[in-house]
Amino acid sequence: MKRTAQVLLLVLTGLGLLHTALFTDLYLRYVKEGLRPLLIISGALLLLLGLAHAMFDRGSGDAEEHDHDHEHEHEHGHGHDHSTAPRIAWLLFLPALSLLFYAPPALGAYTASHAGSETVKKQKGFAALPATSPLPMTLTDFTTRVQQDKELAIKGRSVEMTGFATPVRGGGWDLTRIIFTCCAADAQTVKVHMYGTPAPPANTWLAVTGTWHTQGALGTRTAAAALDVHATRNIAQPVNAFTDDLPLTPS
């Protein structure tokens, strides 16, 4: 890869990171929100590095060096350009350009269908549930209440959860959230199985209202993380799609 191409790659990657982190929410498909400042800093550094290289090359004696190499080649009757990288190196431009013009798709039902559900951490105590009905809950909170709350506060309560649909092999579907600890590489999946309604298309974002599906002993690990669905409605993918928080409305 020629020096000019290397500089261009640095500049394009820097611009892509800045565009994604400053002017869109697309970075949330790949990293947690808290990493946004680091993306901005990285993009700025790559851009400045590329521009600095460009200015240095312009002001250096590139022409003089080229003439010297040309003379050296004539002395030996032939020459080889050892500065050229394999042609496959040009593929490095694809991710750089994708940051500017085409964002790769986010993780979704395909990833979730090949992953197990996250193991819910043990919780010692539970606060009283609000009287709101239906009660907004995250998938993790619902699962924790179902499997660990000895007071059985979730029994008979109408709850509302949001996530995307993941078809289950053999029939049925799960309401799903993918959670980033840091980025897409360490993603974990939490699922609640849905009963009483046909499976929506994969990756459809939904708000689902229902009650705990009786299976196993409520308040113990034998209790199923499952819901008898009373109603569903389609929603837009929330801004905080890769957390298991209550949804934030897209801006």
Side-chain angles (χ1 to χ4, degrees):
M1 185 180 291
K2 297 295 185 181
R3 179 82 169 181
T4 302
Q6 294 172 355
V7 170
L8 183 59
L9 181 60
L10 286 171
V11 171
L12 286 176
T13 304
L15 288 174
L17 285 174
L18 290 174
H19 168 75
T20 302
L22 283 174
F23 304 112
T24 75
D25 293 319
L26 292 176
Y27 73 97
L28 292 173
R29 294 184 182 183
Y30 319 114
V31 299
K32 291 191 71 172
E33 184 176 10
L35 294 179
R36 186 178 196 175
L38 293 178
L39 289 180
I40 295 172
I41 292 170
S42 298
L45 287 175
L46 287 172
L47 180 59
L48 291 173
L49 185 60
L51 294 176
H53 274 298
M55 295 297 293
F56 176 80
D57 289 346
R58 186 175 181 180
S60 67
D62 284 347
E64 180 180 343
E65 183 179 346
H66 176 75
D67 290 340
H68 174 76
D69 290 342
H70 190 66
E71 291 174 4
H72 180 73
E73 289 172 13
H74 275 291
E75 289 174 3
H76 291 79
H78 64 277
H80 299 281
D81 183 6
H82 296 286
S83 65
T84 304
R87 290 183 180 180
I88 197 172
W90 290 94
L91 293 177
L92 293 172
F93 277 93
L94 295 180
L97 291 172
S98 71
L99 290 172
L100 286 170
F101 302 111
Y102 174 74
L107 299 182
Y110 177 82
T111 300
S113 65
H114 291 77
S117 191
E118 177 190 8
T119 301
V120 176
K121 296 178 181 178
K122 189 171 182 179
Q123 189 166 324
K124 291 184 177 180
F126 293 89
L129 290 174
T132 308
S133 185
L135 176 65
M137 297 190 79
T138 67
L139 276 66
T140 301
D141 287 344
F142 175 79
T143 303
T144 305
R145 284 277 184 177
V146 164
Q147 296 183 347
Q148 299 183 34
D149 184 7
K150 302 302 182 183
E151 300 296 323
L152 312 183
I154 203 71
K155 187 175 182 179
R157 290 296 303 268
S158 177
V159 301
E160 181 179 78
M161 295 182 287
T162 59
F164 62 86
T166 300
V168 175
R169 190 177 302 172
W173 63 287
D174 293 332
L175 192 68
T176 310
R177 283 286 195 132
I178 291 177
I179 306 166
F180 290 173
T181 302
C182 173
C183 60
D186 60 18
Q188 294 181 310
T189 303
V190 59
K191 307 173 187 176
V192 174
H193 194 68
M194 301 287 114
Y195 287 92
T197 185
N203 294 312
T204 302
W205 277 86
L206 301 157
V208 180
T209 304
T211 54
W212 175 63
H213 175 78
T214 305
Q215 184 177 339
L218 188 63
T220 73
R221 294 285 183 179
T222 66
L227 198 75
D228 286 324
V229 178
H230 299 161
T232 66
R233 57 185 172 86
N234 289 16
I235 62 171
Q237 178 175 311
V239 173
N240 57 336
F242 294 101
T243 68
D244 190 28
D245 299 326
L246 296 178
L248 298 176
T249 304
S251 55

